[in-house]
Amino acid sequence: MQSTKDEKQVMICHIDDLVEGVPKEVIVNGESIAVFKTNKGKVNALKNSCPHKEGPLSQGIVSGDHVFCPLHDWKISVETGVVEAPDEGCVKKFQTEVKNEAVYLVL
């Protein structure tokens, strides 16, 4: 782990391990996290659990900046974790950073 002031960074993968539009599951400190590389090349990370019935978002379908839960098709922003109306809820979002081709999760 690399520390920066009050936050810790954990390397979770190499940027080439991520495919645009294909979620990837990583485990950090025992927590399952879904990592997304959007078609704009941005890397986002959310808790790997839909707020509705805990569907694994790493198995969802990605379209643009959203992931669709594989259980009941809830549409969730990969950038904010906010569920799109008419459904309600929010998924925990993690900050990510890409440095020297490595993807870090900021804790």
Side-chain angles (χ1 to χ4, degrees):
M1 261 193 247
Q2 178 181 357
S3 294
T4 58
K5 294 187 182 177
D6 293 337
E7 49 189 42
K8 295 182 187 216
Q9 297 181 342
V10 177
M11 184 181 158
I12 54 173
C13 65
H14 192 271
I15 192 69
D16 291 339
D17 295 334
L18 300 174
V19 178
E20 288 180 9
V22 179
K24 177 178 181 65
E25 179 186 22
V26 298
I27 306 294
V28 177
N29 296 333
E31 185 169 14
S32 178
I33 298 169
V35 182
F36 308 89
K37 183 177 179 184
T38 68
N39 57 359
K40 298 172 188 167
K42 186 162 174 17
V43 177
N44 297 286
L46 301 174
K47 181 175 179 181
N48 191 24
S49 181
C50 178
H52 177 229
K53 296 281 184 176
E54 300 183 3
L57 299 179
S58 63
Q59 295 177 23
I61 302 295
V62 176
S63 177
D65 295 331
H66 292 86
V67 60
F68 291 84
C69 175
L71 296 184
H72 298 101
D73 209 32
W74 279 32
K75 186 177 182 182
I76 301 165
S77 168
V78 298
E79 292 185 343
T80 65
V82 175
V83 176
E84 188 169 287
D87 301 313
E88 297 178 352
C90 190
V91 178
K92 180 180 179 181
K93 174 160 176 37
F94 295 90
Q95 181 181 343
T96 59
E97 290 186 20
V98 179
K99 298 181 198 173
N100 300 321
E101 305 295 314
V103 179
Y104 292 88
L105 194 69
V106 180
L107 303 176

